Amino acid sequence: PVRPPPRRRALAAEAGHRPLLQAIVEVARAIFGARAASIMLLDEDAGELVFEAVTGEGEDTLVGRRIPSGTGVAGWVAEARQPLVIEDVASDPRFSTETARSTGYVPRGLMAVPLLRGERVLGVLNVLDRPERRRFSVAELDLLALFADQAAIALDLLVEQAQSRLAPVVVE
């Protein structure tokens, strides 16, 4: 019999990807002087976005938490495959106040960019609020998108490497 490879969602936690993801959110938070940053990976099988790395607000409670993939700003960014800046989340219909409250942190403003590898959505990188309340700029969104592209390449390479090590084995 042939053993199937593990589902993609298990790879982030089990194949040692968390250190890479954690480094990405910490750098993103530092670059933009944000209160928080997170990476949510898409679990295609479950139709959910999963918090895989968080720094700042929620870092002790959000890792592993799941939301339906079409929910809120992150869901919109993943589905549209488009980056987004929102200065006042309370006035944006894509923002899910209920979901944000359930995480314990409701931001005022945010930038979110998809993690893309070709046509495949891997997840979403979020940068939330600035202590000094400067507005996020389009140039910063472009910078975050470039950073996300590099992060997606690194993540995809790690996933491919892990999958090749865990390739199906024929047992006779």
Side-chain angles (χ1 to χ4, degrees):
V2 175
R3 279 188 281 147
R7 290 170 34 160
R8 178 176 302 280
R9 72 182 174 128
L11 288 175
E14 293 176 17
H17 298 153
R18 281 238 170 89
L20 169 67
L21 299 176
Q22 193 63 38
I24 292 166
V25 295
E26 288 172 7
V27 169
R29 181 180 178 208
I31 288 171
F32 298 104
R35 284 188 62 186
S38 64
I39 287 180
M40 304 169 81
L41 295 183
L42 180 62
D43 177 346
E44 293 171 327
D45 294 338
E48 296 172 324
L49 286 167
V50 184
F51 283 97
E52 291 289 352
V54 179
T55 185
E57 298 289 335
E59 67 184 41
D60 296 329
T61 59
L62 288 179
V63 172
R65 184 163 196 163
R66 297 169 166 273
I67 65 166
S69 63
T71 301
V73 171
W76 185 90
V77 166
E79 286 183 359
R81 294 176 164 80
Q82 295 293 318
L84 187 62
V85 172
I86 303 175
E87 286 302 329
D88 178 16
V89 297
S91 66
D92 193 292
R94 294 167 288 205
F95 184 72
S96 173
T97 304
E98 180 181 320
T99 301
R101 280 193 187 125
S102 77
T103 69
Y105 178 61
V106 180
R108 290 184 308 255
L110 61 82
M111 291 191 298
V113 295
L115 295 170
L116 301 171
R117 192 68 169 123
E119 291 299 310
R120 209 170 80 238
V121 176
L122 303 178
V124 178
L125 172 59
N126 303 289
V127 175
L128 311 172
D129 287 332
R130 292 183 187 218
E132 66 273 7
R133 200 57 191 132
R134 273 190 8 242
R135 298 174 71 89
F136 290 116
S137 70
V138 173
E140 288 175 315
L141 182 63
D142 290 344
L143 177 61
L144 185 62
L146 287 171
F147 184 64
D149 286 345
Q150 298 304 307
I153 290 168
L155 178 61
D156 195 49
L157 290 172
L158 282 176
V159 168
E160 286 177 13
Q161 183 182 36
Q163 285 176 333
S164 69
R165 284 194 314 261
L166 299 171
V169 176
V170 177
V171 181
E172 296 185 22

